[in-house]
Amino acid sequence: MSVLLQIGRRPPEREPRSDAGAGPLGFGAEAKVFRSAHGAHLFVADGSRIYDLPEAAADRLDAWQAASRDPAQDAVLAAELGLPMWGGEGLPGPRIDGTPAEVPPLSSLSLNVMQACNLSCGHCYADEGRFGGSARSMPRETAFAAVDRLLAEAAPGAGVVVGFMGGEPLLARDLVHEVVSYATRAGAATGHAVRFALTTNLTTVRPADAELFAAHPFTVAVSLDGDRTGHDALRRAPGGGSAYDRLRAGLEVLERHGRPRHLSARVSVTPYTGRLIDILEHGIGLGFDEVGFAAVVSAPDAAYEIDTAAFTGFLEQMIECGEAALRELAAGRRYPFGNFQTAMYELHAGGHRPYPCGAGAGYLSASAEGGLYACHRLVDDPAFAMGSLSQGPDHDARAAHLTARHVDRAEPCRSCWARYLCGGGCYHEVTRRGRPGCDYIRGWLAFCLRAYVELGEAAPEFFRQTAVSDLPADPAALAR
């Protein structure tokens, strides 16, 4: 078997997986045969490794799985075919087993500076920032205490991220400006480089805000739902005005007065969202550095949620967007489809993890009152309370979170070949809706595996342009 790519960190010295009661997982949980324009390939979940696979071996593995054989015999076949799986003599143990991750130092903290919003959107997970409660804003002393806590809990000399969330954080613009100034000074004093992230509807941005974004290392994510018709259908502005027109005016402010280092568009996909490829190209045409999609799985109004059946159409449209990205990038042209590019870089770096993001680990979110929660989507949820700014992060709560939610301890995740790319799904969505999108995730990742091989053959220089660590992301993802 000729190796196409073998990537990932050196595996730790440990015994093969020995979770209590786990039993043999079998080929379907540890690997996947897939095909590209260049032949058959094998994806190995451990380390996200990809290999060329002789066609005869691929056919045999396909037939073996179709026959629903005893998973305990899969290792025998793997050894016979020389597949690099399951440890064994001369092979290392797995990079990931059921052992929970150690609680890391804090590296990212988002501040819910304004738990209120100037728009009314039925699909907003935050219920206009209120999270089922009342509108409120974060006091200045609480925000400064959050910065102090982040720097105190961070590893010495490590970079940190301060995020601004809501609601609409620019309704608290004076506080945002003060926190950026304070965090920059405080970080310099403690030896921590501070970056910033802000999520906004961009309807209230002012020249001074744009200047702030340009003067500091900012990632700004803008909520976008399509063109004027599509955006305004999902985002109601007070007084009946156009939220889209205000967004376009905000983009003009950024162009005139200062653009952040990275400006992305996030599209929340609902049953009412238009054709994704049209929205993607519209967003690219508006000049965003990245345009990405996220299905609305949990919303205050269930009419805006994507259900299991709707995920089929969502997958078809995502692959349509992915095919467009593959064509353009293979030809050496820019096409910043965020979901696709992130998947390509993750696969290239051998990204594999037992959690979906850094929530509850290196990332926490502070409520307006100073409570700490696993992430910005779980603010005010007592099941994900992780301490307070005054007392500090609750180490035991974070450790319990990492123990309970390791992907190898979750069902049906532990038997899925895609588990270390998916991580088990967003905690907010899983606790409220379960996992209705598993088939979608597997379908999308199967497409990405094929696209990765084909893009690597057509344009290998693409993977030399940007490292995964350079990719902008939300605060939780930055803390992976």
Side-chain angles (χ1 to χ4, degrees), residues 402-475:
L402 294 175
T403 297
R405 293 176 175 86
H406 190 293
V407 73
D408 278 340
R409 294 169 177 247
E411 295 291 353
C413 303
R414 62 179 295 271
S415 59
C416 176
W417 63 266
R419 64 191 181 279
Y420 299 142
L421 296 175
C422 164
C426 168
Y427 304 128
H428 174 265
E429 294 172 356
V430 169
T431 56
R432 286 154 178 78
R433 287 284 311 281
R435 295 183 172 91
C438 290
D439 287 341
Y440 156 74
I441 292 170
R442 283 187 288 266
W444 169 248
L445 290 174
F447 162 75
C448 288
L449 287 172
R450 189 258 292 175
Y452 170 69
V453 173
E454 295 178 2
L455 184 59
E457 289 287 331
E461 65 278 1
F462 171 81
F463 297 100
R464 294 192 287 267
Q465 295 170 0
T466 306
V468 173
S469 60
D470 296 329
L471 291 174
D474 62 53

Side-chain angles (χ1 to χ4, degrees), residues 113-135:
V113 292
M114 177 57 72
Q115 293 189 214
C117 188
N118 62 317
L119 300 182
S120 179
C121 311
H123 61 291
C124 177
Y125 70 84
D127 185 28
E128 300 178 26
R130 299 188 299 264
F131 294 94
S134 59

Side-chain angles (χ1 to χ4, degrees), residues 45-349:
D46 175 40
S48 297
R49 292 170 286 149
I50 299 172
Y51 299 86
D52 283 333
L53 191 64
E55 193 62 45
D59 290 342
R60 187 171 177 188
L61 287 170
D62 285 339
W64 180 274
Q65 283 192 278
S68 300
R69 298 178 187 274
D70 181 359
Q73 297 299 311
D74 287 0
V76 176
L77 178 64
E80 180 183 336
L81 294 176
L83 305 182
M85 299 159 59
W86 284 291
E89 186 175 355
L91 292 174
R95 289 165 172 78
I96 300 174
D97 63 14
T99 304
E102 295 290 334
V103 177
L106 199 61
S107 59
S108 183
L109 182 66
S110 64
L111 284 58
N112 287 268
V113 292
M114 177 57 72
Q115 293 189 214
C117 188
N118 62 317
L119 300 182
S120 179
C121 311
H123 61 291
C124 177
Y125 70 84
D127 185 28
E128 300 178 26
R130 299 188 299 264
F131 294 94
S134 59
R136 53 210 185 274
S137 59
M138 178 176 283
R140 180 174 179 271
E141 58 270 20
T142 301
F144 283 14
V147 172
D148 292 340
R149 177 59 66 184
L150 172 61
L151 296 175
E153 300 289 338
V160 297
V161 178
V162 175
F164 299 101
M165 305 294 295
E168 173 47 57
L170 289 181
L171 295 182
R173 64 173 30 83
D174 290 345
L175 180 60
V176 170
H177 284 248
E178 288 185 275
V179 169
V180 169
S181 178
Y182 179 80
T184 300
R185 294 195 309 273
T190 60
H192 295 90
V194 183
R195 291 182 290 157
F196 302 95
L198 182 140
T199 299
T200 176
N201 58 40
L202 208 63
T203 61
T204 64
V205 67
R206 296 177 182 173
D209 304 325
E211 292 165 0
L212 181 79
F213 301 154
H216 298 273
F218 255 94
T219 291
V220 174
V222 177
S223 300
L224 177 72
D225 290 310
D227 60 11
R228 192 176 194 273
T229 299
H231 191 81
D232 287 345
L234 289 168
R235 297 184 178 272
R236 295 183 294 277
S242 169
Y244 180 83
D245 288 348
R246 297 184 185 188
L247 183 152
R248 291 294 300 269
L251 287 174
E252 292 176 5
V253 170
L254 296 183
E255 289 301 320
R256 290 197 306 269
H257 298 281
R259 186 182 176 93
R261 292 192 183 181
H262 190 86
L263 181 65
S264 66
R266 175 186 172 89
V267 183
S268 298
V269 181
T270 77
Y272 309 106
T273 300
R275 187 172 174 231
L276 299 192
I277 188 69
D278 295 336
I279 298 173
L280 173 60
E281 295 191 344
H282 182 73
I284 293 173
L286 291 178
F288 286 102
D289 299 314
E290 173 193 355
V291 181
F293 298 102
V296 174
V297 177
S298 176
D301 185 343
Y304 291 95
E305 296 175 345
I306 298 290
D307 60 19
T308 302
F311 267 111
T312 300
F314 181 52
L315 174 60
E316 293 171 353
Q317 293 199 58
M318 285 290 287
I319 291 177
E320 181 183 23
C321 293
E323 294 283 14
L326 177 59
R327 286 192 303 272
E328 293 300 304
L329 294 172
R333 293 187 289 269
R334 176 180 178 272
Y335 200 85
F337 177 23
N339 304 71
F340 182 84
Q341 292 194 157
T342 298
M344 294 300 101
Y345 289 124
E346 288 278 1
L347 288 171
H348 192 65

Side-chain angles (χ1 to χ4, degrees), residues 13-25:
E13 294 182 2
R14 58 178 63 169
E15 294 299 317
R17 183 181 287 101
S18 58
D19 308 40
L25 293 177

